[in-house]
Amino acid sequence: MNEPRYQRRKDDRPAEITQAAFSTFVEKGYAGTRLEEVARRAGVSKGLLYLYFKTKEELFKSVVKNFVVPRLHELETTIASTDLGAEAFLRGPFVDFAHTITRSPVGKIVRLLVAEGPKHPDLLQFYWDNVVSRGIKMIGALLEKGVAAGEFRRSPVTEQPLLFIMPVVFSVIFRLLFGKQDVDTDRLIDTQIDLLITQLKGSTK
Amino acid sequence: MNEPRYQRRKDDRPAEITQAAFSTFVEKGYAGTRLEEVARRAGVSKGLLYLYFKTKEELFKSVVKNFVVPRLHELETTIASTDLGAEAFLRGPFVDFAHTITRSPVGKIVRLLVAEGPKHPDLLQFYWDNVVSRGIKMIGALLEKGVAAGEFRRSPVTEQPLLFIMPVVFSVIFRLLFGKQDVDTDRLIDTQIDLLITQLKGSTK
DNA sequence: TTCGTTACTGACTCATTGGTCAGCAAGAAT
DNA sequence: ATTCTTGCTGACCAATGAGTCAGTAACGAA
């Protein structure tokens, strides 16, 4: 007769709660996020959160794991299945990715990571292993491919994939902080990548 | 007979409290900083803090004002009084500055700014006006000087001084987060600056 | 229908801490 | 010495929010 007040949906709860936490973290920041509010958005009680996630920190890790890592995965997949040359890939899909991520909510999680990282060493370790380190390797491999194909010459740049990652991270953060000052982060990214490629293609001296 | 329990030192208190706040913020982060502890380190009672600084946020602003801004000032002074050419200045004093700031406690304040910025819009505005904007102008002027002296040619790089600032900010943050992974941030900075200068000196096509 | 399991609720606890203020005492003025 | 001003103290308050747990009800099994 009466509607049930709730349904048991053990399997879906973690994903739903993580989704709610993602939006809330993005809007309110880590410290600013009330678990009460996460619960409300997920349509559950606060107590239930603690059944699936031991602490607030656990919940944050779940967000990083489920929303940031997959993005990198996409890029890895794209790179693996592309038939573009190294230069074309960098100027095309990679730059697009950089522009997109700069505006995406995922970018805000990156900022949160900067903000909260030092307080959560194991989260940083996880992020290093699953995002940064793999990102570096990915670019590194791409540059090697370029060298092998005779597109690029070796130089300090081929040894430092971070030079490609730097403008992406910088733009994400810069835009979040000073977005209202209308700095053209897209152009910054474009110029940097162009610069790097020019250097890579310059004749060996 | 008895030692006085405290001395009245109206003039020195703000500086002493700001100094204590600086160390505490650097060690504990913004949210992690207890005003009680700041008071203890400054050798005063918690109540006195509120006589000189209305809120915790005010105190944080004071730290930025007194510890970050002066650093930029130094660089501006150096640049104004140097007789080095633009290239020599960038490769010398500027790169030194970048290496130093990367390891300095001041760097940690920059990270705090990233972390706390969005919650304190007027702090961000202050920082933009007094640090970022001036930094950009400073580099911009230096590049112009180089162009005027015939050292550099115009290119997208001369229009985007941020390309020089980017590796500094990135290194500061990256080192704070992933310092244990021994990434050579100095080399990153060197390569980037070298790259930019190479581009600036390349012949006009 | 009855029973047992357990997903789920929500009122509660309790540590934490930014901020206040009534009063005290240092040191200047007289 | 005595008085006055005010820099300074520290006990206190009010709010906040993470985390708990005894009890409730959904729902599958028998």
Side-chain angles (χ1 to χ4, degrees):
Chain A
M1 173 139 344
N2 286 331
E3 295 270 293
R5 299 197 315 175
Y6 60 84
Q7 296 177 350
R8 299 180 153 200
R9 301 212 327 283
K10 187 179 162 70
D11 292 344
D12 300 330
R13 296 302 191 196
E16 290 172 10
I17 293 169
T18 302
Q19 169 66 53
F22 172 73
S23 331
T24 316
F25 280 135
V26 163
E27 279 177 40
K28 306 290 175 71
Y30 185 82
T33 290
R34 309 290 141 226
L35 293 190
E36 186 82 49
E37 181 171 359
V38 173
R40 205 183 58 240
R41 293 196 194 196
V44 299
S45 70
K46 191 170 142 188
L48 192 62
L49 259 56
Y50 285 87
L51 195 58
Y52 294 108
F53 303 95
K54 282 196 191 64
T55 64
K56 193 180 187 181
E57 181 179 335
E58 281 296 318
L59 187 54
F60 185 55
K61 280 188 207 172
S62 172
V63 168
V64 172
K65 201 170 292 196
N66 289 287
F67 287 84
V68 182
V69 177
R71 281 313 192 84
L72 186 72
H73 236 92
E74 288 170 28
L75 198 62
E76 280 180 334
T77 307
T78 313
I79 216 173
S81 63
T82 189
D83 49 4
L84 293 173
E87 178 181 359
F89 185 87
L90 286 169
R91 292 195 188 274
F94 181 78
V95 163
D96 289 345
F97 171 81
H99 290 173
T100 305
I101 211 81
T102 298
R103 288 167 177 72
S104 133
V106 172
K108 299 193 183 175
I109 297 293
V110 172
R111 190 192 66 79
L112 279 190
L113 215 84
V114 172
E116 299 301 322
K119 259 179 261 170
H120 309 286
D122 53 335
L123 178 61
L124 274 186
Q125 187 63 48
F126 173 83
Y127 195 73
W128 172 267
D129 293 339
N130 291 279
V131 181
V132 184
S133 167
R134 276 168 55 182
I136 292 175
K137 282 201 189 95
M138 187 186 75
I139 303 287
L142 187 67
L143 297 179
E144 278 307 318
K145 181 178 153 190
V147 170
E151 277 189 279
F152 299 152
R153 64 184 176 113
R154 285 196 192 284
S155 85
V157 174
T158 50
E159 307 307 312
Q160 296 183 85
L162 226 39
L163 287 164
F164 288 85
I165 296 171
M166 170 169 72
V168 183
V169 175
F170 182 80
S171 291
V172 164
I173 292 173
F174 202 84
R175 207 182 159 80
L176 245 35
L177 294 182
F178 304 117
K180 64 154 81 163
Q181 313 288 351
D182 77 16
V183 178
D184 190 344
T185 51
D186 283 352
R187 186 159 167 247
L188 188 74
I189 291 170
D190 295 346
T191 309
Q192 173 76 9
I193 300 300
D194 191 56
L195 210 61
L196 292 168
I197 291 181
T198 304
Q199 163 74 9
L200 285 171
K201 296 185 68 177
S203 58
T204 317
K205 67 175 163 193
Chain B
M1 171 134 352
N2 285 331
E3 295 269 294
R5 301 198 314 178
Y6 59 85
Q7 296 178 352
R8 301 179 151 199
R9 301 210 330 281
K10 186 179 162 69
D11 292 344
D12 301 331
R13 296 302 190 196
E16 291 171 10
I17 293 169
T18 303
Q19 169 66 55
F22 171 73
S23 332
T24 317
F25 279 135
V26 163
E27 279 177 40
K28 306 289 176 72
Y30 185 82
T33 290
R34 309 290 142 224
L35 294 190
E36 187 82 49
E37 181 170 0
V38 173
R40 205 182 59 239
R41 292 197 194 196
V44 299
S45 70
K46 190 170 136 188
L48 191 63
L49 259 57
Y50 285 88
L51 196 59
Y52 294 107
F53 303 95
K54 282 196 190 65
T55 64
K56 192 181 187 180
E57 181 179 334
E58 281 295 318
L59 187 54
F60 186 55
K61 280 187 207 171
S62 173
V63 168
V64 173
K65 201 170 293 195
N66 289 287
F67 286 85
V68 182
V69 177
R71 281 314 192 82
L72 187 73
H73 235 91
E74 288 171 26
L75 197 63
E76 281 179 334
T77 307
T78 312
I79 217 172
S81 65
T82 189
D83 50 4
L84 293 174
E87 178 182 357
F89 185 87
L90 286 169
R91 291 195 189 273
F94 180 77
V95 163
D96 288 345
F97 171 81
H99 290 174
T100 305
I101 211 79
T102 297
R103 289 167 176 72
S104 131
V106 171
K108 299 193 182 176
I109 297 293
V110 172
R111 189 192 68 80
L112 278 190
L113 215 84
V114 172
E116 299 301 322
K119 259 180 263 172
H120 309 286
D122 52 335
L123 178 60
L124 273 186
Q125 188 63 47
F126 173 83
Y127 195 73
W128 172 267
D129 293 339
N130 290 279
V131 181
V132 183
S133 167
R134 277 167 56 183
I136 292 175
K137 283 201 188 92
M138 188 185 77
I139 303 286
L142 186 67
L143 297 179
E144 278 308 318
K145 183 178 152 191
V147 170
E151 277 187 280
F152 299 152
R153 65 183 175 111
R154 283 195 195 286
S155 84
V157 173
T158 51
E159 308 307 312
Q160 297 183 86
L162 226 38
L163 288 165
F164 289 86
I165 296 171
M166 172 169 71
V168 184
V169 175
F170 182 80
S171 292
V172 163
I173 292 172
F174 202 85
R175 210 184 154 79
L176 245 35
L177 293 182
F178 304 117
K180 65 155 80 161
Q181 313 288 351
D182 77 16
V183 178
D184 190 345
T185 52
D186 284 353
R187 186 157 166 248
L188 187 75
I189 291 170
D190 295 347
T191 309
Q192 173 76 8
I193 301 300
D194 191 56
L195 210 62
L196 292 167
I197 292 181
T198 303
Q199 162 75 9
L200 286 170
K201 298 186 70 179
S203 57
T204 317
K205 66 175 162 191

